[in-house]
Amino acid sequence: MCFLFVDRIVATIPGKLIRGVKHVTKDDDYLCYDTVGQIAFAPSLIGETLGQLAAWNVMAFHDFSLRPVAGIVASACLLRGVHPGETLLLESVIDELDDAVVRYHSIAKVGNEPVFIVDGAIGPLLPMTNFIDVDVVRRQFNEINRPGDWDVVVANASTPCSEKTRFFKNSYGSSPSTSRGLTSGSSNSLDSLPDPKVRPQDVNFRVLQFDHIVEVEPGVHWTAEKLVSRTAAYFPDHFPNNPVLPMTVLLEC
């Protein structure tokens, strides 16, 4: 189970700008129900994904000697949920960067529709070796750093397609006409594919939530408790040498 969410870095200007994508699928470990009962990617983790995107730019700019950690955010606004089958188009702009701190703002879109906006994010920079081995983080960066034409990526992510075609592409990584001998109109054509609707029993739920309600004063406040285990799935990535509870986990609770 992974707590790294950027699937691909598409374009970057060191110390200035970075763009990437996150594909939301039914195999994601951090899914939940949204306010209307649909399965969605955990909302606070869209913000986490944008923060990780900005961090990749900052770490590469400093040759992986420093890394940013969570500081403060002026505002973080969720505009709508993001569901399996959708691709997040991510952009982080570095407003200020030196050896001590980074300030940035970010946006996540589905197609041309903004779904999450972060403004006024500030994070202190600390030595990389406090958190993770430099060779490990370099390898992680190289695995996802696959530059390409951003306009093409946006166009592909925004192209309308039927639910079954979208399901096929997400599941098998290619179009139905070129994969596994499927041909239109045959008994093994697209029409014979499984129903693409994501069902709760098909999903790996890893809902981030509190463990106990301690006190409730109706209409005033709730007090709850979140128990933190050393074996929690996010600690191997956050961080190997210094496990820290992600701030976004608290926000999701």
Side-chain angles (χ1 to χ4, degrees):
M1 189 172 176
C2 183
F3 202 75
L4 299 174
F5 299 115
V6 178
D7 289 318
R8 178 187 176 189
I9 296 170
V10 179
T12 184
I13 302 174
K16 298 292 184 181
L17 172 74
I18 186 167
R19 290 170 172 158
V21 296
K22 158 66 180 165
H23 304 295
V24 178
T25 78
K26 69 175 186 177
D27 295 320
D28 270 294
D29 289 309
Y30 298 95
L31 298 174
C32 63
Y33 287 110
D34 65 14
T35 56
V36 296
Q38 291 184 309
I39 294 169
F41 187 54
S44 67
L45 296 188
I46 304 175
E48 175 74 30
T49 305
L50 289 169
Q52 291 182 8
L53 183 75
W56 284 122
N57 185 294
V58 172
M59 292 187 292
F61 179 81
H62 284 292
D63 195 29
F64 301 97
S65 62
L66 300 171
R67 74 165 302 133
V69 295
I72 60 174
V73 175
S75 68
C77 181
L78 174 71
L79 301 176
R80 77 158 173 88
V82 178
H83 308 101
E86 294 186 310
T87 293
L88 283 165
L89 301 170
L90 313 165
E91 179 180 277
S92 290
V93 178
I94 309 300
D95 300 307
E96 182 180 349
L97 176 62
D98 55 27
D99 291 341
V101 69
V102 60
R103 182 170 59 87
Y104 66 92
H105 64 277
S106 303
I107 187 169
K109 297 180 179 181
V110 173
N112 293 319
E113 180 185 6
V115 296
F116 201 103
I117 298 173
V118 174
D119 279 319
I122 298 175
L125 306 188
L126 297 175
M128 182 71 73
T129 52
N130 288 3
F131 300 94
I132 188 172
D133 183 80
V134 172
D135 290 337
V136 171
V137 77
R138 284 185 190 275
R139 186 187 72 246
Q140 292 172 341
F141 177 79
N142 290 333
E143 287 173 354
I144 63 172
N145 185 35
R146 291 177 280 123
D149 188 321
W150 180 246
D151 290 337
V152 172
V153 171
V154 171
N156 288 341
S158 305
T159 300
C161 58
S162 71
E163 286 296 321
K164 285 189 175 181
T165 302
R166 184 182 300 114
F167 172 78
F168 193 100
K169 288 181 178 179
N170 287 341
S171 300
Y172 303 106
S174 59
S175 67
S177 61
T178 59
S179 178
R180 304 191 181 188
L182 297 183
T183 57
S184 178
S186 69
S187 61
N188 63 345
S189 70
L190 187 61
D191 292 334
S192 66
L193 288 174
D195 188 333
K197 184 177 180 180
V198 180
R199 302 169 300 172
Q201 61 265 36
D202 294 331
V203 175
N204 295 323
F205 277 104
R206 299 287 192 276
V207 180
L208 303 171
Q209 59 186 8
F210 52 80
D211 293 287
H212 303 290
I213 296 174
V214 177
E215 181 182 7
V216 176
E217 187 176 350
V220 180
H221 79 276
W222 286 45
T223 301
E225 184 178 50
K226 171 67 177 175
L227 303 178
V228 180
S229 169
R230 180 62 181 84
T231 62
Y234 34 77
F235 284 143
D237 291 315
H238 202 277
F239 300 95
N241 297 347
N242 185 14
V244 177
L245 180 69
M247 181 177 66
T248 46
V249 171
L250 292 178
L251 292 174
E252 193 64 35
C253 292

